[in-house]
Every structure is written in C-alpha cells, then in structure tokens.
Amino acid sequence: MNRIPVRVTVNGEPTEHDVEPRLLLVHHLRETLRLTGTHVGCDTSNCGACTVLLDGEPVKSCTVLAVQADGHQVTTVEGLAAGDGRLTAVQEGFRREHGLQCGYCTPGMIMAATGLLAAEPDPPEHRIREALEGNLCRCTGYQMIVNAVRWAAAHAGETFDVATGPRQAEGAA
Amino acid sequence: MSLIGAKVLRKEDPNLVTGRGSFVDDLRPDRCLTMAFVPSTEAHARVRSVDASEAAALPGVAAVWTAADVAHLPPCPGLPGLERPLLASDVVRFVGEPVAVVVAEDRYLAADAVAAVVVDYEPLPAVVGVQAALAADAPALFPALGGNLVFEQPWESDLADVFAAAPRTASLHIVNNRCAPTPIEPNACLADWGPSGLTLWAAFQAPHHLRNKLAEFFGIAHDETRVIAPDVGGGFGAKINLVPELYLAPALSRALGRPVKYVQTRSECLQAMYHGRAQEQDVDVAFDDDGRLLGLRFMVTQDNGGYPDPGGMGLPALTTAMATGCYKVPRVAVGWRNVVTNTTPVASYRGAGRPEATFMIERVVDLVADETGLDPLEVRRRNFIQPDEFPYATSSPLAVYDSGNYPGALDELLRILDYDAVRQEQRRNLDDDTKPLIGVGFSTWVEIAGFGPPGSLEAFGHLGSWESAQIRVQPDGSAIVYTGASPHGQGTETTFAQIAADNLGIPFERISVRHGDTATVLQGIGTMGSRCTAIAGEGVRAAATTVLGRAKEIAAHLLEADPADLQAEDGAFTVRGTPARSVSWNDVAWASFRPLDLPEGMTPGSLETSVFQQVANFSFPSGAYACVVEVDRHTGRVGVRGFYLVDDCGTVINPLLAEGQVQGGIAQGIAQALFEEVSYDPQGALLTSTLMDYLVPAAPDLPGFVSSRICTPTPNSVLGAKGIGESGSIGSPPAVVNAVVDALAHLGVRHVDMPVTPQKVWRLLEGAR
C-alpha cells in the first residue's frame, strides 16, 4: 500500500513518518511512536480510552486518521508530566481521590478531564459528569473520578512530586 | 501507628497516571506477529468448508489455520464429550465462535486476511433461551446429549406439606438478565515459544492456574512454562476462563518460531468473552400473616451457552447455597438445571451465582411485604438471623455463616437515609401529575466470599484453594512480598504492603509487592471469588509474623537483650522501656546475611519465609443497601436519585480502596438493573455486539453514593477481613428493582425483570391508564 508522509508534533517533539493512509492516529501513537499510554478499548468510539489532545482539544484518537493529524499538535498522557517527572493536578487528583483502579481507562479520562478544565476551570459535578460522558470506566462507578476532577480544579496550576507525595489521603485517620 | 484501616494512597498509581503501565498490548517483542480470528457469523450451522487459500496468499500473512491444523491438539478443558474445540470443525454453536485463525505482520494485515477467508455454512435451527432449549422438539446442540439439558439436580422434597399448611403462599418467575462483563481492556495474550520454553503474557486473573493448564495441554514441564499477568485492565471474573486463544497463540508461536500476540477487539469481546448471569428462576414462598417465612422452593435454570464451561456449570450451586440470604427459612427445597443454547458460553461475572441468589430472595421478601401489607423493612427484621446466632448453619452445607450483624447494618442504613422523608415525598408526588413517581427499595444481603476452604476451588479445576505468600527481607532492610494473588485493579500492592508493614515494623515505603509471574512467585491460585485480602492477605500477615520473630532473635543478639522484650516499629527494634537500646531494621537485615553476626545456630538468609494460607470456612460479607428512584410518568425513564449503602466486610485494610470496590460493584449492579442486557434475535444473531448497542453506563447515568460501614470481623483469620470485591454487584440489583416496583406498586405492579428499561416501564404505565 502507498505511504504518505505525516508530520505531527507529539508532546512537543516534531515527528515525521511515512504511514499507510488507513492508519489510525491511536495506532500511529502506539505502534509507530511506541507511546503506549494511550489505550484502545473499543472499535466504535464509545469508550474514550484513546482520548488525546489535538491542538488542545480532547479527541478520540481511534476516530482520527494519522494523516489527518498532519501539521497538528498532539498531547498524550506521557506529555502531561513535565520533564522533571512532576504530575499535573489532574494526574495527582486521580491518585489522591482514588479515581482509578485497573488504570486502563485512566489515560483517556485524564486527557478528557484536562481538556475540560482548560475550557472550564471550575466545573460543577454535573458538568464533570457530562464532559466525561464519552469515557467509560468499568471499575470506579465514576464518583471518585468526579471527586478527582474537583480536586484538580481546586489545585489548578500546581505540580506534584510523583515519588514522594503524601502517603495518605486527606482527612485520613 | 498502624496502617491497617488507613487511607493509604496506592503504590500502583504513579505508573498508571503517567502512561507507564504495562498492559499486554503495550508489549511488542521483536518480530512479533498479530493473531486474529475468523468468527462464525452463524449461531448454529454445519461448516461445509473453509477456504483460506486467498487469505494465506496475501502479503504479510504468516499462517492461516483451520480446525484441521489443530487436530493434533486437545480441545479446551470442559465436560467430557462436550468440550469446546480450539477452532470449530464440523459445527459452530454460537455467533463469534472462531472457525479459523490468521497470523500476520500487523493488525491491519491480519484484518485483511480475516476478511479474505471464505466459510461455507449450512445453517441449522438455532436455540436461544432456556425455555426454547428445553422444548420437546428443540434442536439439540450435542446429539450425544439427547437434548439440551446437561445436568439436573431435582428437589429432594417438594415441601408439599409446608405449602399445604401455610397460611399464605406466593410465586415468582425471574429472568436474571445475561450480562457482558466488559472490562475496558478486552482479552489479550502474547505467546513467545522459544528453545528454552514457553512464555505467555496474558490479561488473566490466575497466572499459575493458566501455567498448570498450558503445561498439561502441551505436555510440557511447569519449569519451562512461564505465565505473566502484567497490568491487567479489569477482569470481573471473565479473565479466568480457559478460552481458545490462550492455547492457539502458543501453538502458533511454536510453529512459526516468532512471538504471536492476540488482542480482542471490543466487538469480538462482546461476542466471545464469556457472559454472566443468564439464569431463570421459578420460586415459591410459604409464609404466615405476620410475614414470617415458612418455606422456600425454587428451581434455577442456568443458560450455559454454546459450550458448558466448568465454571459456568457451578453457578447454580452458588445461587442455591445463598438463596435464603440473611433470613431464617425453616424448610428449603433446591433444584437446578444446566442448559446449552446457541449463545456465547456463560461463566463467572462479578458475583458469579450470588447476585442471582440475592436478587431472588430480596424480591421474595418484598413480595411477602406486598402480600401481607407489612413494611418491607419489617418483614426483613422479623426474619433476620440474629447477631447472637453465629456461626449459623443454613440449609446449604456450603453456607455456614461465620459472623454478621444484619439488624445492625439496617439500623445504620436508616441513620444515613431519611426513610420517612422519602415516603412522605412519595405520597405527595403520587397525586401530583407534574411530579415523577418516587420509589424506595432495599436489599439486606449476605454473600459467600473468601474462596479458601480446601476443595472450594479444586471443584473448578484449580490446584488448590490456598494462597501463597512469601516475604524476603533484603540486605538493606527493605522487603519484597510475593503473592499468588493476581490483581487487576484491586490495589493489592498497596494493601499487602500495609499488612506487611504493620506486622514487620518495616516502613510502608520500603516494601514492594510482586505478583503475576510464575517465574518469580513461588506458586499461586489467583484473584477471584473475593479471596484476595481474606486469604492471600492473611498469608502475608502470617509470613510477616514468622519473619518478625526471627528478626527479633537477631536484634536481641545484637542488643544483648531478650527477644520477648523487643518491639519493632518504624524501622527499628527497641527494648521496651529502654528506648536508647535500639537497632535499626536495616542493621538487623544486614546481619541476617553475615554468619559472624548471627546468634548461635542461626543460618544466613533466615529473614524470608513462605506460607500456603488456608482457611477453614468461607467468609460471609453482608450489608444493607437502599436505592431511591424517580420514574418519569411520560417516558418511563428510571433515574437513580440516591444510593445509600452500609457494607460489612469485616476488617478493612484501606477504607479508600474498599469504598472504591463497593462503589464500582454497585455501579455494575445498577447497570444490570437498569441498562445492560446481552440480547439475541430468535435465530441467535447477537444484537449487542458493540458498545453502541450494549449500554455500559457513563458518568451521567450513575448517582453519587452515601456510604457507611459496620464491622464484624471473620473468625476465620487473625486479620478478620471477609472480602469485598463482589459485594456491590451482589447487593445492589434488587435494591434498584425493589425501588422501581415500589414506585409502580399503586398500579398493581408486583415484579419487573431486569434491565428495567424506559420501554418496559412505559408499557406498565400505559397498561394502567
């Protein structure tokens, strides 16, 4: 099959590869660039596990062809933490509020939540639930994910040490 | 300070929130091939021919195998004569059953090859649903069986005397809807069979079990068979089934001399990952005018799908064991049947037989309340097993309840729920057409967990029912805990480090927990049946206690003190009452490897030990749930306005993680009650083969939770933990349905089958107009 050059800036790094026109962006990220933090959970764009930011907007990368991303900026979960390994408030919020169990939906949830808070810095609970409607989690029942996003909203702009964070949740005995 | 009961943040999370997790599909060894199935499009058909020639000739295709290519291999483990073949040979028995397998350089080329395989089917009449399967003229899936009934356990007595003498009786037919477990990571495995043996990475809940089965299947030795469960994206009981890909990927890797990876698509997952529930129940209850239960008689009919899975065959045994719930029922008659149909096989799904039991008995007590005019809570109270009656032997030999406080849980529930206010609003709204109908439903439930007593898992093909724990203190005083449990979201690395830290006196930060690799964990059974903390966690506690005893001997030698006078805390050993006399854990650990520093008679490397933890009885977690719903009078839509829960799982290691388990389980229970149902058309075509058709709830569909907890530790262990993984999915469905029936009771509605869709409710509302 013929191949087409695709230039995408991923997590701030310019990339250039020749790919098949049918290659999905999620497979380009996972297989060509080996950024495996972005997951695949369905084949109908329902689950949102593959959510990344395309020019800052959350998109389901299983619904975007790699060639459509040509000339654009993509941010994956690997691109959130700064080079020094510090977590964003959304990442830390998921940890503090137990917003994840198996962790498979988590990168997509974190990217969707990151996109939400960029557009709406202090969303009420019902807005968080609406905004995450396209992201399925089978483990948590969502309440703790909502709590995680609320926590992130309250700590916007802060970064957190991944290794030596607090041992216990707030209000713990 | 003790860490048992502390909301410790998870060790697992830093990897998972940064994209550094390692799931099967994230792994890609050099020269790795992709495997894909050609699934049957027919529910029941004779396979006339499979033409793979065009597919095999496509670029990048390494192999296309049909049944003839695996004729030298045994079938999947199953019931004698009814085993599932690796690839369907002469007959297909459900939509999605693989008839061929292709291997190609990548997933796109594999998909091209799948599309190029031509299968010629001769359709046969299909059987969908247990009623159709048991009809006299039903087509038989397995002619040798002489019908579709695989097993029947009849009543020992029909309790004719009880029912004849009872002041009142009532009956119910219940369809417990077929559900798709739907972990967000589907089934996945990666086989690499080289000269030194087989390594299989698998999204699986029981890697040692799989290792044993693979070695037996291929006739190879355990020491040359390695199974690794890396990060696993949810399991819910569905990732313990011995499905064909687990054997085909290794067989193809061996034949091709290259690693072979298989990752299910979601559509394949919905049609091929084994389903759960799919049970019908006919139940009769005898009771008196005061709502006291006198007798329960029921027949469970289990749909086992196209091939009777050994685990699926056992589901009715668990249903019948727990059928009387937390009530005293003087006489019980239990019967069940296992039936095959042209549908996806049915096996364990979070709760596995117990949600079906809880749904039945909790619907029955509400029915008794309805018949007698008593409040549903009053009927429950009058029939509760009392706190001073434990251990309580039920009518089932499997179920001798260990401990519990059912009235106490209900009291606590009524503390967090304003029951009177809900009833008042319900009455107000009833006469106001502009307001939704309000309903409140209860479930006071008990389940069987902690699968650990000898024999309990052997019956399902496991090597044992124990769980292994090993602790190895390192020379620098840090420690590694190895567990045979194999978590997939439970947070075991955290909770087991808490248990070990408490019992070793080594700081939590200096303890790592390893799992999921048969090459590093000595032996194991796995994580299922709410056994992880109850059995494996108790093993960690026991191992830590042994290691601590030896460490104290070394510390006492170094301090020239009596071991009995030492206490271990915060990484040091101190002589009680003389805090200045202290030696660090690090120094004790270092000394443990240096013979010249050891007490006489002690050998180097003593600070490690292995435990095969057993327990004498199951544990029986319980709780009380309430659901408040509002029903739209015009659309029939049911909205969950509030969910109130009191859980009793005995000792809680980490309340944050326990709450996560409960909320997630309740979410799945609400999903079963309101949204989810795998459905087939009468010809056996699957109508719910994507997430557009199978309704997994999203954040706006589910409520917030109001939670509380009581604690009756299990006497089975020192730790006292009962298990929590399945409680929510077991206890919640009847609370939701009881609430809906309560909202519609004024219309004469006495039962609604799950899922309670807007259409079902709308028909009930319309029928009453």
Side-chain angles (χ1 to χ4, degrees), chain B residues 93 164 253 389 454 493 760:
Chain B
R93 294 185 174 85
S253 176
E389 293 180 286
E493 292 177 26
K760 274 185 198 165

Side-chain angles (χ1 to χ4, degrees), chain B residues 184-209:
Chain B
I184 304 298
E185 180 202 33
N187 276 340
C189 61
L190 165 59
D192 189 1
W193 196 324
S196 58
L198 166 65
T199 301
L200 183 76
W201 290 262
F204 208 71
Q205 300 174 218
H208 289 82
H209 176 53

